[in-house]
Amino acid sequence: MLVSAPVGALELRGHKDRLFAYPGILAVEEGGAFMIVDYDKMRDIHRRDQQPERRVRSRYVSLGVKRHSRLAVHQANGREIEIGLTGEYAAARFAVIFVHGRGGDQRLGMNDYTFGGNFNRLKNLMVANGGAYLAPTIESFDDKGARDIKAVIEAGRAPVVLACASMGSIICAKLARDPAVVSRLAGMVLLGGAPDSGIVSSAAVKARLPIMFTHGSDDSVYDWKSQKAVFDRVRASSPDYPARFVLFNTGSHGTPMRMTDWKQTLEFVLSR
């Protein structure tokens, strides 16, 4: 089974790795668990995008993945959950489920051109490696929203990497407390998420679920130092806990969605 591979054994087939690799590493600390990445708005937005923050330059996207993508609807909890889907969830080796933040819907996670083309890259990585990518629409960031994501997780058979951005991290934190959900997860990725110290005592941390944190140092919505404090407590919960923190120096609230290296992130999570 994919998630049982020994540490360091997994290597995914890449997609435009040179373009999406971290542009520079300023520091690596805590035995490699904490990394500070160089971020430059002029380089990483204005030179990368044809229309800043609206449309990335064409060399960053590969649109052949569109033939593997569609809009799906999942019936659960007495309502329809709209899902942007790439790949075949029922037959996938593993899956990434992306939970958007406030004001978003499935279109945010399926847009090929925004956030520097990073969602297009993620979709291509999943198709190239026999995975599936799902971007459901969340109606609310409460127990109702958590139940909907739980239903989406349970609709497939593959181990799931649950990736939550901004306020969507509230859903990750709620599901981290549910042992039934944790048993289906390969890991979690928190992208500019809301700090929640409760995760330290959650079923996810007790099960040593791999967690990747990525955050901008100039995030004006959620302070990175508060999130780093949560990360520190997670790592301290057991020896060699599989958690990593990538800090984008001078990055803002949306920077993790643009700059997170998904190949490196998934290889870390899925190898544990």
Side-chain angles (χ1 to χ4, degrees):
M1 188 175 181
L2 183 66
V3 293
S4 64
V7 173
L10 179 68
E11 184 175 353
L12 297 177
R13 181 180 176 185
H15 178 78
K16 296 185 181 288
D17 295 347
R18 184 182 61 81
L19 291 177
F20 287 91
Y22 292 137
I25 308 301
L26 300 179
V28 178
E29 303 172 3
E30 301 178 32
F34 178 60
M35 182 166 64
I36 303 175
V37 173
D38 181 42
Y39 170 75
D40 181 86
K41 185 175 181 180
M42 181 58 67
R43 179 192 62 213
D44 297 318
I45 294 182
H46 293 278
R47 293 178 189 167
R48 182 166 168 174
D49 290 0
Q50 181 178 326
Q51 300 175 35
E53 299 186 6
R54 292 179 179 270
R55 189 178 183 88
V56 72
R57 296 185 187 278
S58 60
R59 69 192 183 106
Y60 287 87
V61 300
S62 296
L63 297 180
V65 76
K66 282 183 173 291
R67 66 177 178 270
H68 301 283
S69 301
R70 64 188 184 277
L71 181 63
V73 175
H74 181 62
Q75 298 278 352
N77 304 320
R79 53 187 171 271
E80 294 184 341
I81 304 170
E82 192 176 70
I83 303 170
L85 174 63
T86 298
E88 297 300 328
Y89 191 28
R93 296 172 63 212
F94 61 95
V96 172
I97 297 178
F98 171 74
V99 181
H100 61 77
R102 182 173 60 183
D105 58 26
Q106 60 84 20
R107 292 173 295 181
L108 186 149
M110 295 299 289
N111 194 311
D112 292 297
Y113 291 100
T114 54
F115 295 103
N118 214 11
F119 286 115
N120 177 264
R121 190 213 185 190
L122 176 55
K123 289 188 284 183
N124 275 283
L125 283 171
M126 299 307 289
V127 169
N129 291 280
Y133 171 69
L134 297 86
T137 293
I138 306 303
E139 294 184 359
S140 57
F141 302 95
D142 53 13
D143 290 342
K144 175 183 174 182
R147 286 194 298 270
D148 284 353
I149 295 300
K150 180 177 181 177
V152 174
I153 292 170
E154 293 178 339
R157 299 178 180 178
V160 169
V161 177
L162 187 60
C164 300
S166 186
M167 190 177 283
S169 64
I170 295 171
I171 301 295
C172 263
K174 286 181 177 293
L175 294 180
R177 295 166 166 83
D178 187 333
V181 172
V182 171
S183 69
R184 294 293 316 280
L185 298 182
M188 283 188 174
V189 182
L190 303 177
L191 305 124
D196 185 339
S197 60
I199 200 171
V200 177
S201 59
S202 69
V205 169
K206 289 177 182 177
R208 290 177 55 85
L209 188 75
I211 306 175
M212 173 69 79
F213 299 76
T214 68
H215 219 97
S217 69
D218 290 354
D219 188 329
S220 60
V221 179
Y222 300 123
D223 177 57
W224 80 268
K225 292 181 181 177
S226 298
Q227 186 72 310
K228 176 63 163 52
V230 174
F231 163 77
D232 290 339
R233 291 186 62 193
V234 167
R235 286 197 71 219
S237 66
S238 63
D240 299 317
Y241 190 98
R244 297 289 182 271
F245 195 115
V246 176
L247 179 68
F248 298 104
N249 188 50
T250 75
S252 64
H253 187 56
T255 300
M257 286 192 288
R258 170 178 287 265
M259 297 299 294
T260 295
D261 184 335
W262 280 108
K263 181 174 184 291
Q264 185 180 110
T265 296
L266 292 175
E267 287 179 343
F268 162 71
V269 169
L270 294 169
S271 291
R272 265 70 188 170

